[in-house]
Amino acid sequence: MNPIVELINVSKIFRSGEEEVHALRNITLRIEKGEFTAIAGPSGSGKTTLLNVISGIERADAGKVIFDGQPLEGLNENALSALRLHRIGFVFQAYNLIPTLTARENAEFILFLRGMTEKERSQKVEEIFRELGIENLLDRFPHQMSGGQQQRVAIARAIAGEPDIVLADEPTANLDSKNSMAIIQLMKRLNSKKGITFLFSTHDPLIMENASRIIHLRDGKIVGEERK
């Protein structure tokens, strides 16, 4: 069976004038289907860049990125966008909800882009909101929700399309410990119940305690790994 994600000697360099920042240095990594894995490291260690390279948002400068057996370097921008639309869910540190849309409309957005009918979208999103215990938020706008509520809506949006993998970039960074734990438990249920692979970037001890695997990143390099 193919891993859902495989990186082979991947490097990424950002350039600003004559200055070069080596964000990733010869990263080799396999993420198997169904994993609940954390990429841990301090700010500036390359965690977000790693998620962006996995999703094709950023192109690697060297090495290979393979998604479920498909090398990304052979895909054009339209094909990468289709991959993200149909197979990858995103949860962002800043939630990234569209402020002029309700929670329902935010969660339906990916399904709308896929061409799903209004009735199908509505039924699917209402089911997900009930499952997440946030059906009371369906018609609220982001400014009418707390941080924890917005993050739950962001998770609903990420899983609405039943992706193969969810990439979560510091998903608990703006939450208190109670809301953080609730979000982590919610993701663990989705992982075990639906088989969705979760890959986090984090320096939150709560996520690291609950991850089944922790990959330690520093200065763009993998410096250690733990499995539980």
Side-chain angles (χ1 to χ4, degrees), residues 103-198:
R104 178 200 297 272
E105 291 165 339
N106 267 283
E108 285 185 3
F109 192 63
I110 295 297
L111 307 179
F112 169 77
L113 293 176
R114 289 187 183 181
M116 190 177 286
T117 68
E118 183 178 354
K119 183 179 179 181
E120 289 174 324
R121 295 196 309 264
S122 181
Q123 288 177 342
K124 192 169 190 62
V125 165
E126 286 178 14
E127 178 184 342
I128 290 168
F129 273 55
R130 281 195 299 271
E131 187 173 345
L132 302 186
I134 56 172
E135 60 268 32
N136 62 312
L137 302 179
L138 278 163
D139 298 315
R140 293 191 195 179
F141 290 92
H143 74 270
Q144 297 172 319
M145 294 182 275
S146 68
Q149 289 171 331
Q150 289 187 62
Q151 194 62 299
R152 283 177 173 83
V153 173
I155 292 168
R157 178 183 58 188
I159 66 169
E162 298 183 0
D164 297 295
I165 187 169
V166 169
L167 304 177
D169 190 10
E170 301 277 10
T172 59
N174 298 317
L175 305 179
D176 59 29
S177 58
K178 181 180 178 181
N179 275 308
S180 294
M181 197 65 231
I183 293 295
I184 293 164
Q185 289 172 343
L186 169 60
M187 291 182 176
K188 289 188 79 170
R189 287 200 303 274
L190 294 169
N191 172 253
S192 60
K193 186 176 179 180
K194 294 184 178 289
I196 298 172
T197 305
F198 280 86

Side-chain angles (χ1 to χ4, degrees), residues 42-127:
S43 297
S45 59
K47 303 187 300 297
T48 297
T49 301
L50 183 55
L51 295 188
N52 287 344
V53 165
I54 286 170
S55 67
I57 291 174
E58 300 276 1
R59 295 260 191 185
D61 291 313
K64 285 191 174 184
V65 181
I66 304 169
F67 188 95
D68 199 18
Q70 171 71 61
L72 297 193
E73 64 263 29
L75 301 182
N76 62 27
E77 291 304 318
N78 287 338
L80 286 172
S81 294
L83 176 72
R84 288 190 289 269
L85 177 62
H86 293 281
R87 305 196 64 187
I88 301 174
F90 294 90
V91 180
F92 301 95
Q93 177 179 343
Y95 320 134
N96 282 21
L97 299 179
I98 300 170
T100 55
L101 300 183
T102 64
R104 178 200 297 272
E105 291 165 339
N106 267 283
E108 285 185 3
F109 192 63
I110 295 297
L111 307 179
F112 169 77
L113 293 176
R114 289 187 183 181
M116 190 177 286
T117 68
E118 183 178 354
K119 183 179 179 181
E120 289 174 324
R121 295 196 309 264
S122 181
Q123 288 177 342
K124 192 169 190 62
V125 165
E126 286 178 14
E127 178 184 342

